[in-house]
Amino acid sequence: AQKIVVVSPTMKKEFSEITDTSISVIPNGFDETDFPELTYQKSLKFNLTHVGMLTATRNPENLWKALSELRNEISDFKKNFKLHLVGKIDASIQYEIKKNKIENLIEVSDYVPHSEVVKIQQNSEALLLIVNNTPNANLILTGKLFEYLAARRPIICISPLKGDVSEVLADSGSGTVILYNEKSSLKNEIMRLYNLWM
């Protein structure tokens, strides 16, 4: 018998509305051997880390604005905060970073071996997950999410809408989803984690 395999519960629901074919969900995951048990140690800076490519459809303009405002509103934020972008970033994102004058808050690592990425994730104060700002965003359940879960650090997810990622983060208590247009919520969540670090 034919069977359809999908990677998220929402995708299964959408397919089941248009077919009678049996549907199985096989989600992404992570290899436990890639994530040795590490004891988190507080860093000298609050490190918020994003791993992976940042494309034009994954450009959270309110993040750049929020960081600019936090830099101006909090006296030591510029000294204590770092957003580490691991991977290639689109020219539109480079433009937004310069426009908001936050270059001094950001470190970009173009390429890092996976074994090193794992250590960076585990030693970050928080991890940033950005879902593509596209109509099918609620269906996106990336392998990166599961690697972030394996790192056992708080996750800030920026997404155009609620979906399967929201459910995974809520069920696991691992982080929160903030919509692309919710700048104040994003600022509050960064500040909450920053104050815990302080």
Side-chain angles (χ1 to χ4, degrees):
Q2 279 192 326
K3 183 177 272 192
I4 298 172
V5 176
V6 296
V7 296
S8 79
T10 302
M11 198 178 284
K12 178 179 180 178
K13 183 180 174 196
E14 292 203 2
F15 271 94
S16 62
E17 291 172 1
I18 59 172
T19 183
D20 293 329
T21 306
S22 176
I23 301 170
S24 296
V25 177
I26 302 178
N28 275 311
F30 63 89
D31 186 343
E32 288 184 1
T33 61
D34 286 343
F35 291 86
E37 286 289 334
L38 289 182
T39 303
Y40 164 76
Q41 294 182 345
K42 180 179 173 179
S43 302
L44 294 174
K45 287 194 172 194
F46 180 95
N47 292 301
L48 175 61
T49 301
H50 177 276
V51 174
M53 287 180 61
L54 278 178
T55 61
T57 59
R58 208 179 293 155
N59 183 4
E61 293 181 17
N62 275 326
L63 172 63
W64 319 127
K65 292 174 185 172
L67 292 179
S68 179
E69 290 176 14
L70 288 169
R71 180 203 58 209
N72 293 331
E73 293 166 4
I74 299 163
S75 58
D76 286 336
F77 192 80
K78 180 170 60 175
K79 181 179 80 176
N80 291 330
F81 178 91
K82 177 179 75 175
L83 172 58
H84 191 180
L85 303 177
V86 181
K88 295 191 179 298
I89 60 174
D90 188 78
S92 63
I93 291 167
Q94 294 174 18
Y95 171 78
E96 289 292 331
I97 289 169
K98 286 177 182 169
K99 183 174 110 177
N100 287 283
K101 300 178 179 160
I102 54 172
E103 299 99 312
N104 58 351
L105 300 180
I106 294 174
E107 177 185 340
V108 178
S109 300
D110 198 356
Y111 171 77
V112 176
H114 187 257
S115 58
E116 191 62 30
V117 167
V118 167
K119 292 176 187 171
I120 291 169
Q121 290 174 165
Q122 290 179 311
N123 288 309
S124 296
E125 275 56 55
L127 299 170
L128 178 64
L129 181 67
I130 303 172
V131 177
N132 286 13
N133 195 3
T134 54
N136 67 343
N138 63 318
L139 305 178
I140 296 172
L141 205 53
T142 67
K144 189 192 310 175
L145 167 64
F146 293 92
E147 286 211 343
Y148 277 15
L149 292 172
R152 295 178 176 84
R153 304 306 307 138
I155 298 168
I156 299 174
C157 176
I158 301 174
S159 174
L161 41 82
K162 306 287 184 181
D164 288 323
V165 172
S166 305
E167 290 183 23
V168 170
L169 291 179
D171 290 347
S172 62
S174 301
T176 185
V177 172
I178 296 164
L179 302 185
Y180 268 85
N181 60 355
E182 294 181 346
K183 185 179 68 173
S184 61
S185 298
L186 181 57
K187 279 179 71 176
N188 290 341
E189 182 61 8
I190 293 171
M191 274 311 304
R192 184 183 74 80
L193 294 171
Y194 178 79
N195 286 332
L196 287 173
W197 169 80
M198 290 289 286

